[in-house]
Amino acid sequence: MKIIREIEALQAAVRSYKKQQQTIGFVPTMGFLHEGHMALVKAAHMENDVVVMSIFVNPTQFGPNEDFESYPRDEARDTVRAEQNGVDILFMPSVETMYPESLTATIHAQKRVSVLDGATREGHFDGVLTVLGKLFHLVQPDNAYFGQKDAQQVAVVQGFVADYFFPLKICVVPTVREQDGLAKSSRNVYLTEQERKEAPVIHAALRKAREEVKGQDKASVLANIRAAIDQKNSYEKIVYLDMYQYPSFEPVEDWEKPIIIAICVQYSKARLIDNEIIGGA
Ligand code: AMP
């Protein structure tokens, strides 16, 4: 595995792969790697000649009161994990490398972002698209891999890639979970022992709702989820809990088309998200 930190070195490696007509699978991450990330790497391996992973905690997607500074980082462990899982290039740029100058033109997400993370994390998706635009140009992947756990991100990135004709395919990988159902997340390390014990209720409640959703009205589906989660009360608040058509994030109108139930729960230090997509996707 090659570790690359500089733009020119990455571009040279990509040029050489392209010259050999090797296909590139790209896995963008913020590091503190877990099995969720590794599922993306595995999928990338199966469908491409080489796998490029980036680890970059992108400051522009964090709000001023969010956890950019305290986001968990462990470069040494990540390097071992990436290598063990067969990553070919691990790109770990500094903030100065990715943002050497203030931007001449900015990217502003305007569709699929008026709800959920788009509504509660101001500017978050602008930052996500900004860094992905840069990374897609650098890595020139044939396929880029994203987790369903961040389903709104998937929808926004798919729209962005289509709008600007990025010549790549977005591949979506199902959410990898702990044995008790909790979605794997770098932020799970922030949970206290008690919170960790109770957090699987999030997924359990969504699963149950998935089975009951047909024939129910939206309000009662959401009320049932809330009631189940309220039985475990170590969380601070439910930041959002809602249902939309997927991937448009428009209000639910057609129960025959894909619907997402999405939730965000704030614990003392961890902000956890999860979702279920019902019918397709
Ligand atoms: P992050 O490092 O949290 O920004 O995540 C990098 C990529 O891994 C994103 O596409 C996430 O959706 C994906 N990912 C994170 N957690 C999981 C998980 N538990 N299962 C599948 N994909 C995941």
Side-chain angles (χ1 to χ4, degrees):
M1 183 179 78
K2 230 188 253 177
I3 296 176
I4 295 182
R5 295 178 194 276
E6 303 301 333
I7 302 294
E8 295 72 21
L10 179 61
Q11 287 173 319
V14 166
R15 261 199 309 275
S16 138
Y17 288 141
K18 295 278 171 194
K19 215 166 161 188
Q20 298 167 56
Q21 298 194 326
Q22 295 198 291
T23 56
I24 299 176
F26 178 42
V27 180
T29 81
M30 298 204 299
F32 213 69
L33 301 176
H34 52 69
E35 283 87 346
H37 300 112
M38 292 316 155
L40 306 190
V41 170
K42 206 169 171 188
H45 250 304
M46 291 188 352
E47 295 158 4
N48 303 273
D49 297 319
V50 294
V51 177
V52 176
M53 171 185 270
S54 61
I55 295 182
F56 180 60
V57 184
N58 172 37
T60 64
Q61 70 189 67
F62 288 80
N65 300 316
E66 293 184 5
D67 57 346
F68 172 69
E69 295 296 341
S70 64
Y71 193 83
R73 294 161 167 91
D74 190 337
E75 202 180 286
R77 202 185 65 178
D78 283 352
T79 304
V80 173
R81 285 204 175 172
E83 179 142 40
Q84 278 172 350
N85 284 271
V87 169
D88 296 286
I89 289 185
L90 182 58
F91 180 52
M92 296 194 287
S94 67
V95 171
E96 293 68 34
T97 298
M98 289 305 287
Y99 296 101
E101 301 263 1
S102 62
L103 296 171
T104 310
T106 56
I107 296 173
H108 175 56
Q110 59 184 8
K111 245 166 78 178
R112 305 177 170 181
V113 295
S114 63
V115 298
L116 308 179
D117 284 321
T120 55
R121 301 187 67 185
E122 211 195 322
H124 171 67
F125 287 115
D126 295 355
V128 168
L129 296 186
T130 301
V131 79
L132 285 177
K134 286 171 176 265
L135 289 168
F136 288 161
H137 280 128
L138 287 171
V139 177
Q140 298 177 44
D142 297 272
N143 299 294
Y145 292 81
F146 290 85
Q148 194 205 303
K149 184 171 86 70
D150 299 277
Q152 191 174 20
Q153 171 169 276
V154 166
V156 174
V157 173
Q158 279 172 332
F160 177 56
V161 162
D163 290 344
Y164 289 92
F165 308 114
F166 281 92
L168 59 94
K169 193 173 129 211
I170 300 297
C171 306
V172 185
V173 175
T175 303
V176 177
R177 299 180 179 282
E178 303 288 353
Q179 281 198 336
D180 57 16
L182 178 66
K184 298 224 181 212
S185 166
S186 306
R187 289 187 169 100
N188 288 352
V189 295
Y190 291 150
L191 293 169
T192 65
E193 210 174 308
Q194 183 63 21
E195 290 169 344
R196 174 64 190 83
K197 265 191 208 145
E198 297 190 0
V201 72
I202 300 170
H203 178 240
L206 291 183
R207 288 293 301 184
K208 192 151 177 285
R210 184 192 181 98
E211 278 146 34
E212 295 168 352
V213 77
K214 280 269 157 73
Q216 281 199 42
D217 62 299
K218 175 179 148 178
S220 55
V221 173
L222 298 180
N224 288 343
I225 296 172
R226 197 173 280 269
I229 291 174
D230 275 345
Q231 287 174 6
K232 315 269 182 182
N233 57 10
S234 65
Y235 69 89
E236 225 156 68
K237 67 172 177 178
I238 296 179
V239 180
Y240 59 70
L241 167 61
D242 219 330
M243 284 169 79
Y244 299 96
Q245 300 289 167
Y246 190 81
S248 69
F249 288 94
E250 297 287 337
V252 174
E253 277 176 359
D254 187 345
W255 291 77
E256 298 306 314
K257 295 218 175 109
I259 286 172
I260 184 167
I261 309 179
I263 188 167
C264 174
V265 183
Q266 178 69 52
Y267 288 89
S268 56
K269 279 207 199 131
R271 184 188 197 273
L272 302 188
I273 60 172
D274 205 344
N275 67 78
E276 281 285 326
I277 295 174
I278 300 159

